[in-house]
Amino acid sequence: MNGGSFINFDANATYGVLPEVAEEVLSNHSRYLNPSSIHRGGQVARAAIEDAREEIRTLIGADRRDRIVFTSGATESSNSAISSALSGATRENNLVCSNVEHPAVLETCKSFDKVECRICEPEKLREKVDENTRLVTLMLANNETGKVYKVSELFTYVKSNFPWIPTHSDCVQALGKVEINFKELFADTISISGHKIGAFSGVGALIIKDGAQFKPLIHGGPQEVRFRAGTENTLGIISFGIAARIARQKFESRIVRYKAMKLWFSDKLESELTRKQIPYQINFKDEDSLPNTLHVRFPGRKADDLLIALDLEGVLVSAGSACASGKPESSHVLLAHGFSEDEAKECLRISFNAETRFEELASGLEALVRCL
Ligand code: PLP
């Protein structure tokens, strides 16, 4: 099944592999052998991995001494960072985590039932930090709402008052859409993921600040300077490096494009819905938010039904509910923002990638109005 042609308005879930990434990786793919081997097949793979590491380092403004550790994705990166920060923590300790985190962070924090888990609104996190805190974690941008958070402000406060407390940020959605300067974030660790920027799925990275304490999650061989055992996902890592290079080279032009697309789409949507007297509410409009993400509520209409109707039209979006154990549950992020269970189920997230064409915007919008 190849799914036929479709319009990806769900780029925050997966960007879609960039054709230039696929081409460049696959043109040389059979030459990459085990990067730990000392023969030339290993050395070719090793060199390509190191090139990818440097591309990622440049994209996020990390120092030469900071560690870029390749992982299977941001879920593993955050699990590693959190379990490292909490190793040795006791019942007297606590962790401080925002209530809008992706499950990769939120559920991992909750799984450490030995420590007190202080979960609250991003704006109130600093009030929860004290000398017994063993971790403070806040994402840079939210995958559902697109909201961008003041991570650097919070972590500067933490580091000036409690310099020993590890700080972690999930930067998955910010990568390529918001300027990330690792030095200025005051994070000890950040997580990023390849498939959100046009690389293959199944590859991510954990960035560890020079001098920060780190205990690996995965033990075994000496790969990734013993920070993450297991044979590297060479093709995935190379794809991540190429996508990072493209994200850096096209950063400014993509932002301009994203902003133009979002403005055009929301203006046109508002005027069409007003004309047709269809009730709607554009959320998080005036807030600092990702330039590619639009969040809309259609009162009285189930977003899941809309999602399916749009899928039949070849337009892919995502809804404010997730199907866990066969029953759609309202998103914890929207509930945290004060939406009721029912309101959350009326929300749709539309997220573009930088390759979305204006014709696609127009036909996607037309389909959305038709489905409504
Ligand atoms: N964090 C955020 C904000 C995400 O959007 C995602 C993916 O949806 C993840 C973490 C998990 O990333 P991965 O799929 O690489 O494990």
Side-chain angles (χ1 to χ4, degrees):
M1 175 183 174
N2 81 355
S5 67
F6 55 72
I7 299 173
N8 182 6
F9 280 179
D10 198 18
N12 285 8
T14 287
Y15 192 101
V17 176
L18 286 163
E20 43 290 38
V21 168
E23 248 166 60
E24 204 174 320
V25 175
L26 298 178
S27 64
N28 233 356
H29 69 283
S30 58
R31 300 186 53 80
Y32 304 122
L33 302 187
N34 192 320
S36 297
S37 302
I38 52 173
H39 52 61
R40 76 180 77 170
Q43 292 316 300
V44 172
R46 165 67 42 219
I49 288 176
E50 295 317 316
D51 286 348
R53 209 183 305 277
E54 291 320 304
E55 287 297 353
I56 287 162
R57 190 187 303 283
T58 313
L59 177 63
I60 59 168
D63 193 82
R64 210 168 37 84
R65 284 161 307 193
D66 299 327
R67 297 254 180 232
I68 317 268
V69 180
F70 287 114
T71 63
S72 65
T75 301
E76 183 194 318
S77 302
S78 287
N79 268 265
S80 305
I82 294 166
S83 70
S84 167
L86 297 178
S87 70
T90 65
R91 295 218 173 272
E92 285 78 58
N93 294 131
N94 64 73
L95 67 87
V96 174
C97 169
S98 98
N99 59 1
V100 295
E101 296 299 311
H102 185 277
V105 168
L106 195 58
E107 295 305 317
T108 308
C109 283
K110 286 185 190 164
S111 75
F112 285 88
D113 47 8
K114 220 166 82 181
V115 299
E116 183 197 347
C117 206
R118 298 182 175 170
I119 299 173
C120 70
E121 292 87 340
E123 298 73 25
K124 295 193 179 142
L125 287 171
R126 70 163 67 187
E127 296 163 28
K128 304 282 178 193
V129 183
D130 61 28
E131 61 277 7
N132 289 322
T133 303
R134 288 294 169 269
L135 168 73
V136 178
T137 179
L138 173 62
M139 70 197 328
L140 189 50
N142 185 272
N143 43 304
E144 292 182 47
T145 64
K147 264 193 77 155
V148 176
Y149 293 100
K150 295 188 168 59
V151 171
S152 155
E153 224 175 89
L154 173 71
F155 289 179
T156 306
Y157 166 82
V158 174
K159 290 295 178 188
S160 355
N161 292 280
F162 309 94
W164 64 88
I165 299 180
T167 50
H168 175 68
S169 183
D170 172 339
C171 293
V172 169
Q173 292 294 340
L175 194 67
K177 297 178 237 166
V178 171
E179 183 100 49
I180 299 179
N181 188 326
F182 184 60
K183 286 187 205 86
E184 290 171 9
L185 269 185
F186 292 95
D188 287 302
T189 49
I190 68 169
S191 303
I192 53 175
S193 176
H195 71 110
K196 308 292 184 177
I197 64 162
F200 298 170
S201 296
V203 61
L206 175 66
I207 322 303
I208 308 168
K209 197 176 188 62
D210 178 39
Q213 297 281 330
F214 182 73
K215 279 200 163 183
L217 179 67
I218 297 179
H219 301 271
Q223 293 89 353
E224 296 296 278
V225 287
R226 295 205 176 272
F227 280 26
R228 198 273 187 182
T231 303
E232 296 87 341
N233 171 4
T234 305
L235 296 188
I237 292 171
I238 296 170
S239 78
F240 199 4
I242 301 166
R245 186 184 72 218
I246 297 170
R248 172 174 52 84
Q249 290 168 340
K250 296 191 173 171
F251 184 79
E252 267 96 29
S253 62
R254 278 181 171 180
I255 300 297
V256 170
R257 205 175 144 64
Y258 279 140
K259 285 185 175 164
M261 288 197 282
K262 186 168 166 176
L263 187 67
W264 185 90
F265 195 92
S266 58
D267 280 357
K268 193 97 176 122
L269 184 66
E270 288 201 72
S271 71
E272 283 294 297
L273 297 176
T274 309
R275 199 165 61 80
K276 295 206 148 63
Q277 299 186 326
I278 298 171
Y280 70 94
Q281 176 188 319
I282 299 195
N283 304 316
F284 314 105
K285 201 177 168 187
D286 303 319
E287 308 190 34
D288 199 6
S289 73
L290 291 176
N292 76 320
T293 309
L294 198 68
H295 200 269
V296 200
R297 181 180 152 232
F298 298 105
R301 295 169 203 250
K302 282 203 191 106
D304 275 345
D305 292 347
L306 263 177
L307 185 153
I308 291 164
L310 279 165
D311 188 14
L312 294 173
E313 298 257 356
V315 181
L316 317 186
V317 296
S318 127
S321 56
C323 205
S325 59
K327 176 171 143 272
E329 284 176 9
S330 302
S331 134
H332 70 281
V333 175
L334 299 180
L335 297 181
H337 279 284
F339 289 84
S340 70
E341 296 260 351
D342 287 343
E343 286 168 348
K345 288 178 183 157
E346 296 168 343
C347 290
L348 215 60
R349 176 190 70 188
I350 296 165
S351 51
F352 314 119
N353 66 29
E355 282 62 45
T356 308
R357 288 174 287 115
F358 268 91
E359 305 89 271
E360 292 179 316
L361 284 188
S363 49
L365 187 125
E366 224 178 271
L368 174 57
V369 175
R370 202 165 42 241
C371 290
L372 280 161

